[in-house]
Amino acid sequence: MSGTYLGMPAFPVAADAAVRDERLRGNLTHATQTIRAKRARAVAELPDWDRLRAAGAAIKDRTLRHLDHYLERLEASVTAAGGQVHWAADAREANRIVTRLVLATGEREVVKVKSMATQEIGLNQALAAAGVRATETDLAELIVQLGDDLPSHILVPAIHRNRGEIRDIFRERMADWGRPAPEGLTDAPADLAEAARLHLREKFLNARVGVSGANFMVAETGTMVVVESEGNGRMCLTLPETLISVVGIEKVVPSWRDLEVFLQLLPRSSTAERMNPYTSMWTGTSEDDGPRAFHLVLLDNGRSDTLADTVGRQALRCIRCSACLNVCPVYERAGGHAYGSAYPGPIGAILTPQLRGVGTELDASLPFASSLCGACYEVCPVAIDIPEVLVHLRERVVAGGEVTVGGEKRRIRPAKGHAAERAAMRAARWALDHPGALRVGQRLAARTRRLHPRRLPGPGRAWSATREVPRVPAESFRDWWRRTREQGPAGIGNGGGGNGSGGTGDGRGVGDGAGNRDDGGREAGR
């Protein structure tokens, strides 16, 4: 995906450092709790939200099943409208295409709309290597860029920064990129927004090349759709002479009727608004308005391989609303940087390992960056069962198996560091297949429970470092069942025990709740 995150440690190591940063945790807690409360109120306004959610999932699934058809239709529509379509198999090819298109204009500076796809491929770094400066125009992305930082949230990339930090970044770095921050800049939100507005206005008016992504692409007309809240996107999409859009192939929808569903789902799930303040749509080029040249770069970069996985492919439904991040207890404590990817949070934990594979220590750790609480699935507007995919990917990491890489089936080996886990699972399988051995083991564990350590040794040390080892009960369930059913006091069982009034049985039967039994010694209870 992107070279930006190369060298980052595995999630547990990065998260360990993040959870010790009290200011970071304070920023995240305040922001995520505020956003999710607003979202809950916005969603509650729609009595048919569940049906909208199901419709969104169904449209995405239908589109993914026939993705080749809709992409070809999209290409034909864009071309007929005066645009040019370029196909990029991976990040390197996409960066090469965009760099070539920019250099062909003779420009050395571009303005950018917030785009997850360009972050994924590391486009800014590729352009910089070719001598082209890319200026982020989304306010949060601008903060991240000026601070030599990385985004930590899909919707609010600078969520880990507070107002004081942003003021200092503007004062110290804004002049390096253009118009400096006003004298005496305070941390008041209005002052910070005005400083960014003045700085970016010059960029918009001088820009000849714009780079964007797209939230959706309508196949039937070749229309691109960008939704945003600040108006910077509208400026980038209309003022430059050349517009280049880099979009993942999964963002296509068949028709305007399908788009209608997502324009209801996305704003309420992301910004908790009934509709986005700015919804920009453009189809090809026009002589009278907007860019004179439009290029669409369709990005695969592992998406076709993800589509081949019948369980993992549901991650491609994602509309980048970030609702899953805002309810995730792991993200709220660890932040987005620990995920080492342009896609943080629960969706990143299932999308990144499929786009990049699980060959690195970082990527192999991401499916385990979850408590499997299921909150992410409950809020997802397109019903992605993230816990199901997480468990599926954990199995891939631990056991290896067949995957699709570059369109070809390959068998990958289990990741390192899970040998003890695999041995434990094999031992558990053997024990469960041999009830006698299981009973002996359970009784032995019960009789030696006073000797059990509070912290596990060896590979189990990491687990018990933050948890208490559960105490072993004095007897197993099987032994309790046998004692109370076959050797216990009379009247305990299905009838008398369930009704709580006992019976006069001899231990071989069950009371009826009235203390009666039949002459044969069998209880007549129900």
Side-chain angles (χ1 to χ4, degrees), residues 137-215:
T137 63
D138 174 84
L139 177 56
E141 290 285 2
L142 177 65
I143 294 166
V144 169
Q145 184 175 55
L146 295 180
D148 293 324
D149 203 350
L150 293 173
S152 63
H153 191 278
I154 291 176
L155 178 66
V156 194
I159 196 172
H160 55 287
R161 298 289 193 182
N162 59 36
R163 292 185 304 177
E165 293 175 295
I166 296 169
R167 175 202 59 208
D168 294 341
I169 290 172
F170 280 8
R171 285 176 175 177
E172 297 169 8
R173 296 300 310 280
M174 196 169 266
D176 296 339
W177 288 76
R179 179 169 178 152
E183 291 291 335
L185 179 65
T186 72
D187 65 356
D191 291 345
L192 295 174
E194 179 66 13
R197 185 180 297 112
L198 294 173
H199 176 82
L200 291 174
R201 181 69 58 168
E202 292 185 357
K203 300 289 185 180
F204 292 138
L205 296 177
N206 294 324
R208 295 294 178 267
V209 180
V211 175
S212 81
N215 296 95

Side-chain angles (χ1 to χ4, degrees), residues 469-485:
V469 177
R471 294 182 180 275
V472 176
E475 61 180 341
S476 69
F477 175 80
R478 289 172 179 270
D479 288 344
W480 173 85
W481 183 273
R482 184 176 295 104
R483 175 174 60 80
T484 56
R485 293 285 177 163

Side-chain angles (χ1 to χ4, degrees), residues 40-177:
R41 291 192 295 269
V43 167
E45 293 179 351
L46 294 183
D48 63 343
W49 177 260
D50 287 340
R51 285 181 291 170
L52 270 174
R53 184 176 185 244
I59 292 169
K60 281 288 188 177
D61 284 346
R62 183 191 71 199
T63 307
L64 291 171
R65 284 196 301 270
H66 306 285
L67 187 59
D68 55 344
H69 165 73
Y70 290 117
L71 288 175
E72 290 177 351
R73 187 178 181 187
L74 173 71
E75 180 183 29
S77 299
V78 171
T79 303
Q84 297 183 48
V85 177
H86 311 263
W87 299 81
D90 53 28
R92 181 176 300 178
E93 186 173 7
N95 286 332
R96 186 169 61 248
I97 291 170
V98 176
T99 301
R100 173 174 55 79
L101 292 173
V102 173
L103 294 178
T105 66
E107 296 295 316
R108 290 297 180 267
E109 185 167 2
V110 302
V111 289
K112 284 187 65 206
V113 186
K114 182 178 180 296
S115 164
M116 300 301 300
T118 59
Q119 291 175 17
E120 173 188 330
I121 64 177
L123 178 61
N124 287 10
Q125 293 72 30
L127 290 174
V132 177
R133 171 178 275 192
T135 298
E136 298 287 352
T137 63
D138 174 84
L139 177 56
E141 290 285 2
L142 177 65
I143 294 166
V144 169
Q145 184 175 55
L146 295 180
D148 293 324
D149 203 350
L150 293 173
S152 63
H153 191 278
I154 291 176
L155 178 66
V156 194
I159 196 172
H160 55 287
R161 298 289 193 182
N162 59 36
R163 292 185 304 177
E165 293 175 295
I166 296 169
R167 175 202 59 208
D168 294 341
I169 290 172
F170 280 8
R171 285 176 175 177
E172 297 169 8
R173 296 300 310 280
M174 196 169 266
D176 296 339
W177 288 76

Side-chain angles (χ1 to χ4, degrees), residues 399-484:
E402 191 175 81
V403 298
T404 303
V405 180
E408 298 180 355
K409 294 289 186 181
R410 296 183 186 176
R411 182 164 292 277
I412 61 172
R413 298 175 59 86
K416 296 180 179 179
H418 294 275
E421 182 180 353
R422 290 194 296 273
M425 291 298 103
R426 285 195 294 268
R429 181 174 60 186
W430 183 89
L432 293 171
D433 284 340
H434 297 79
L438 179 62
R439 284 194 295 271
V440 170
Q442 289 174 331
R443 289 170 181 170
L444 181 63
R447 291 170 183 172
T448 60
R449 66 186 186 278
R450 298 182 184 277
L451 304 177
H452 296 174
R454 302 299 299 275
R455 295 288 183 267
L456 296 177
R461 187 183 299 111
W463 189 89
S464 60
T466 55
R467 306 171 180 85
E468 289 189 359
V469 177
R471 294 182 180 275
V472 176
E475 61 180 341
S476 69
F477 175 80
R478 289 172 179 270
D479 288 344
W480 173 85
W481 183 273
R482 184 176 295 104
R483 175 174 60 80
T484 56

Side-chain angles (χ1 to χ4, degrees), residues 12-30:
V13 177
D16 182 64
V19 297
R20 300 175 193 277
D21 187 334
E22 294 185 3
R23 182 166 62 177
L24 172 64
R25 292 190 62 176
N27 294 345
L28 289 170
T29 298
H30 172 73

Side-chain angles (χ1 to χ4, degrees), residues 341-412:
S341 162
Y343 304 107
I347 187 62
I350 65 170
L351 186 58
T352 301
Q354 296 191 84
L355 297 182
R356 295 198 306 211
V358 293
T360 68
E361 186 179 8
L362 168 61
D363 295 329
S365 71
L366 290 178
F368 300 89
S370 171
S371 65
L372 299 180
C373 68
C376 49
Y377 170 67
E378 295 298 326
V379 300
C380 178
V382 286
I384 301 172
D385 193 341
I386 293 178
E388 178 187 29
V389 183
L390 285 168
V391 173
H392 172 65
L393 293 175
R394 289 180 183 187
E395 180 183 6
R396 179 181 299 177
V397 171
V398 174
E402 191 175 81
V403 298
T404 303
V405 180
E408 298 180 355
K409 294 289 186 181
R410 296 183 186 176
R411 182 164 292 277
I412 61 172

